Amino acid sequence: MESFLTEYYSKLSKEDLNAYMESKAKQRYRDGEIEWSTYQAHLKTYRKLLHFKQVTLFHELDNNWANKFDAFLKKHIQSRDKTNSCWVHHKTVKAYLKLVRRDHIIKIG
């Protein structure tokens, strides 16, 4: 029953990575799981995702999506070291995909 109620009242999106990431980042900061600077970095990645695509459905995520996101980042990042900046954004997305899997939102692999 506890598991059902947790799922029922959860505001985490079960369809959209962008919505999930925004809600989960706020929850993690509020719960003290991440620091303010980490929260801000995760929101930066979230904003990049929104700029790339307003809605990113979980079923769309594959290597092709990752390659397109990478190309988008390389085109739109205004940094001297684009490679590291792109890598950080990919790492953040990957971390949230692990949380999606842990939260049993979707099954990956």
Side-chain angles (χ1 to χ4, degrees):
M1 187 62 164
E2 182 181 333
S3 177
F4 169 77
L5 291 174
T6 301
E7 286 291 318
Y8 182 76
Y9 290 111
S10 175
K11 293 184 170 126
L12 297 174
S13 176
K14 295 183 182 342
E15 296 177 2
D16 179 17
L17 173 63
N18 299 354
Y20 174 87
M21 190 170 176
E22 179 187 29
S23 297
K24 191 67 171 180
K26 287 178 183 176
Q27 177 187 351
R28 293 177 77 203
Y29 176 67
R30 187 178 54 246
D31 294 346
E33 189 177 327
I34 57 175
E35 297 292 325
W36 175 252
S37 59
T38 303
Y39 174 65
Q40 291 299 308
H42 291 189
L43 287 183
K44 189 173 185 179
T45 299
Y46 162 73
R47 287 189 295 274
K48 292 286 187 198
L49 281 170
L50 280 182
H51 192 235
F52 173 61
K53 192 170 180 195
Q54 284 293 311
V55 175
T56 303
L57 300 175
F58 288 122
H59 69 80
E60 297 175 329
L61 300 174
D62 58 12
N63 285 337
N64 189 36
W65 180 89
N67 291 333
K68 287 180 182 179
F69 184 56
D70 191 55
F72 168 83
L73 290 172
K74 287 178 181 172
K75 184 176 179 182
H76 290 91
I77 288 180
Q78 303 298 321
S79 173
R80 288 181 285 165
D81 191 358
K82 289 186 180 197
T83 302
N84 280 343
S85 296
C86 291
W87 181 84
V88 167
H89 290 301
H90 280 288
K91 182 182 79 160
T92 303
V93 169
K94 188 175 176 181
Y96 278 86
L97 288 175
K98 284 183 181 181
L99 293 171
V100 164
R101 189 175 183 183
R102 187 189 73 191
D103 290 343
H104 303 289
I105 306 269
I106 61 170
K107 291 184 180 180
I108 303 171

